[in-house]
Amino acid sequence: MNKQQFIGYEYRKLLVDKEFSDVYIDAYPNFGWEVEMEGKAKERPNKVQFSMKRNRKLLNQAELKRLQNKFEASMSDVERMEKQKKLFPTIQACLLGLFGTFFMAGAVFASNAGSLLFMIFLGILGFLGWILPIPLYRIQFGRASRRLQPLIDEEYDVIYKICEKAYGLSHFE
């Protein structure tokens, strides 16, 4: 007769960016977790929530937890660098657009004061401040990507090695 044994599970919910959800889905089974449910976070549209479970009597659990902590630290580094690639170019482009707005306001005041040449000069600077943020963003984003992408790739290599080691500990027979 087939007897089923009791299995005690530990449970975990995880909230991650949609952008990185595939990495988490691929990685957590290596640490002994079974992804039970995946869904959108209600209040946070750019996040995904996972529900997972893992056998409490999993062998090598202490080492798997240590490796999982290293994985999570590496993933937070990757997420930070990915955000950093976008943050500084965005700030620079917004500041340039804001300066363009100031120059345009100055052109309006110069027009009211009757200074035609000064108004034209400030107006041209204002239009440039409104037109140049997009190319500036693209250029700065490209520079940041070229600078940070090798570091991100190195961190992914570390993540894959951690997952490989964890898989060996959790799936040996």
Side-chain angles (χ1 to χ4, degrees), residues 106-151:
V108 170
F109 290 130
S111 169
N112 290 341
S115 177
L116 183 63
L117 287 175
F118 193 54
M119 178 199 72
I120 291 172
F121 176 70
L122 290 177
I124 290 171
L125 290 177
F127 279 121
L128 286 175
W130 286 350
I131 294 170
L132 293 178
I134 292 173
L136 175 70
Y137 174 83
R138 289 182 180 153
I139 290 167
Q140 293 299 86
F141 180 77
R143 286 181 183 164
S145 293
R146 285 189 296 278
R147 182 175 50 85
L148 290 173
Q149 197 59 47
L151 300 172

Side-chain angles (χ1 to χ4, degrees), residues 30-95:
N30 297 312
F31 302 105
W33 292 100
E34 297 173 34
V35 178
E36 290 286 305
M37 183 178 70
E38 175 184 343
K40 293 181 180 177
K42 294 176 184 170
E43 291 86 30
R44 302 174 104 183
N46 62 335
K47 299 276 187 179
V48 176
Q49 184 170 3
F50 299 111
S51 294
M52 302 180 295
K53 70 179 184 179
R54 168 166 75 180
N55 186 345
R56 285 187 179 277
K57 298 203 183 228
L58 189 65
L59 297 175
N60 301 316
Q61 192 166 10
E63 181 65 14
L64 285 171
K65 283 183 180 180
R66 188 186 70 73
L67 289 171
Q68 181 179 325
N69 289 337
K70 283 178 70 174
F71 163 77
E72 290 170 354
S74 291
M75 278 306 297
S76 67
D77 288 344
V78 168
E79 290 173 19
R80 179 186 48 78
M81 285 187 278
E82 287 288 347
K83 287 178 184 175
Q84 188 178 359
K85 277 191 334 189
K86 298 172 190 168
L87 178 66
F88 295 119
T90 301
I91 290 172
Q92 290 173 340
C94 288
L95 285 175

Side-chain angles (χ1 to χ4, degrees), residues 4-11 34 54-57:
Q4 290 186 338
Q5 291 183 326
F6 171 75
I7 299 175
Y9 291 103
E10 59 180 305
Y11 298 92
E34 297 173 34
R54 168 166 75 180
N55 186 345
R56 285 187 179 277
K57 298 203 183 228

